[in-house]
Every structure is written in structure tokens, then in C-alpha cells.
Amino acid sequence: MKRGFVVAALATLSMLIAACGGTPAVALGSTAVGSLTSGAGGGGAPSRFTFPAPPPRSTARVLGIAIHLQDHNLTCEAAALKMALAYEGISVNELTLLGYMTLDPRPAVFSNHRLVRWGDPERGFVGNPDGHIQAYTGYGVYFGPVAAAAVRAGAHVLESGSGLYGPAIPVADIYNAVLAGHPVVAWISNTYHRVALAHYIAYDGSAVAYTLTEHAVTITGVRPDAVLINDPWFGQAWHPKAQFESAYSTFSGMAVVVGS
């Protein structure tokens, strides 16, 4: 009796499967994404799950960072960092940031009218912040002390570097950082195109590459053809990517990416 019942049940199940085209039904819950499609002609081909295409990646973003013009002749780096920190909710003045970077007031030394010795901008701010770069009474500071100042101010540094001292920060990293909501302090030539670097030996014995057009800005926006630059000397403006990338190559990809 038992055996006959099982045989009958199996026969009934086989007919039900055959009636459904040979494929068991698939139940989708209300949270399923995508759809089921049958094979060509619906003649028993397996169904497949079709996933929707991913949303397109954003290629433009502007961070709401107000322009801040530098308070002193040569404090573009501190001013650029001040703007980046403001976006992260950190308010700090330029002189405090310069103190975090440390100052090296020792004068420039010349031989045969050529600069041969000065401070090391990768260790601290070189010269007088109110000096004049063309007169060699002040210069500026590079990414290392700026990154350290950002951390002392309470921010996180997501990336920093320069090809002059090791790995460069690729320009694509700058664009991606801004798209992700992170402002960037970037070093450029203030001519807004690439210039050649000269060299001197710092008091600590390090070789220093420099130019009298050294400048730092805050990258606050990006779109497919241009970048929005908060320039602490010239103001805020969109610049073609090719123009920015030329100027940015001067210091072999020197930048500090700031996060919260």
C-alpha cells in the first residue's frame, strides 16, 4: 500500500514538472533586484537572472569652500591648508598653522650671485612669511610640514607626497579625492604652466629643488574638462585640466589630501 502511494505521487510530480516546461518555478521576494527572462521562444531553455546596469560614476563635484586670500606675502601654503581644513569643520588661522609647520628664518646664502644655501622647505617654512621671494627674503614650505600641520590641527591626511621626495600624487588621485569629498592642497607654478626647477643645498645638507614661482592652492571642484581652484593669491576660478596639470607637474606631483 505504501509503495503504491509513493509511485503514484512520483508520477503526479513528473506530470506537473512537464506541464511547467521542465523548469521549476522560482519565487522572487519583494526585495529582489533585476528580473527573470526565459530562453528564446520559451521552449524549455533555462531562465537567467538579469542584473541592472550600475549607476554611472559621478564625474563632477564642487566642494563648498569659500575663498580665503592669504594674510601675508608668502603664506600661500598656510592659506591653502586653512581652506581645506575649513571644509572639514576646523577653523585655524595662518600663523597657528605656520607654527605647526615650524619656521626657519635663516637667510639665503649666495656665491657668484647664485643661491647656494638656504633652509629646507621639506622641514619647515623657509625665510620670512612677509618677505619677498624675488628678493630671496622668504620662500615657502613643501608637503611634509603642511601634512604635519593638518594632523596637528585635528584633520586626517589621506595622502601626501611628491616625486621630488618619493612617490608622486597622481593627478587622477586629486580628481578622485575631490569627487569623494576631500579637498586637496596642491603645489603649482604661479605662472599656471610647468617651469624648470633650480637647486641649492639646504643647511641640513639636503638638495632642494625650487623655483621663484612656487605656489600652493586648494583644489575644490572638478568636472570632465576643468578643475576649480581656490587660489589664495588670485582668487577662485575654473581652469582647464591641461593648464592645471602642466603647472602641477612643476613639483613632480606635490599634494596633500585632507580628510576628517
Side-chain angles (χ1 to χ4, degrees):
M1 185 71 179
K2 253 183 179 180
R3 187 164 179 272
F5 176 78
V6 171
V7 171
L10 289 174
T12 302
L13 180 59
S14 297
M15 289 188 292
L16 287 172
I17 291 174
C20 293
T23 303
V26 178
L28 293 179
S30 59
T31 59
V33 179
S35 61
L36 282 172
T37 58
S38 61
S47 298
R48 62 183 181 82
F49 194 74
T50 304
F51 289 92
R57 185 177 179 275
S58 175
T59 58
R61 183 169 185 175
V62 173
L63 309 181
I65 302 178
I67 185 66
H68 165 73
L69 300 180
Q70 59 199 72
D71 296 332
H72 306 271
N73 286 344
L74 300 176
T75 55
C76 57
E77 301 94 349
L81 179 59
K82 175 182 171 71
M83 286 186 277
L85 292 173
Y87 185 75
E88 305 298 343
I90 300 171
S91 178
V92 58
N93 62 55
E94 289 185 19
L95 290 180
T96 298
L97 291 174
L98 284 174
Y100 291 162
M101 297 174 197
T102 72
L103 297 167
D104 184 351
R106 288 176 289 183
V109 177
F110 294 84
S111 176
N112 296 322
H113 306 288
R114 185 176 69 87
L115 177 65
V116 294
R117 194 169 303 277
W118 209 358
D120 186 349
E122 191 49 23
R123 290 185 177 272
F125 187 96
V126 174
N128 183 354
D130 285 304
H132 297 277
I133 196 168
Q134 298 293 335
Y136 294 89
T137 53
Y139 181 66
V141 62
Y142 289 168
F143 76 93
V146 171
V151 172
R152 290 192 64 182
H156 288 91
V157 172
L158 305 181
E159 193 174 9
S160 68
S162 164
L164 298 177
Y165 296 91
I169 305 301
V171 71
D173 285 14
I174 292 179
Y175 301 151
N176 289 333
V178 174
L179 291 173
H182 305 300
V184 180
V185 177
W187 276 254
I188 64 171
S189 164
N190 64 18
T191 62
Y192 276 81
H193 61 77
R194 181 185 178 92
V195 302
L197 298 177
H199 297 81
Y200 66 86
I201 301 300
Y203 285 107
D204 62 10
S206 301
V208 176
Y210 81 101
T211 171
L212 297 184
T213 64
E214 183 264 352
H215 194 40
V217 297
T218 313
I219 309 303
T220 62
V222 63
R223 66 190 190 201
D225 64 326
V227 290
L228 182 61
I229 297 177
N230 279 25
D231 188 314
W233 187 264
F234 294 108
Q236 185 185 72
W238 286 97
H239 294 265
K241 281 185 173 179
Q243 182 189 54
F244 165 67
E245 290 170 12
S246 175
Y248 180 64
S249 69
T250 295
F251 290 93
S252 299
M254 185 180 293
V256 174
V257 181
V258 177
S260 56

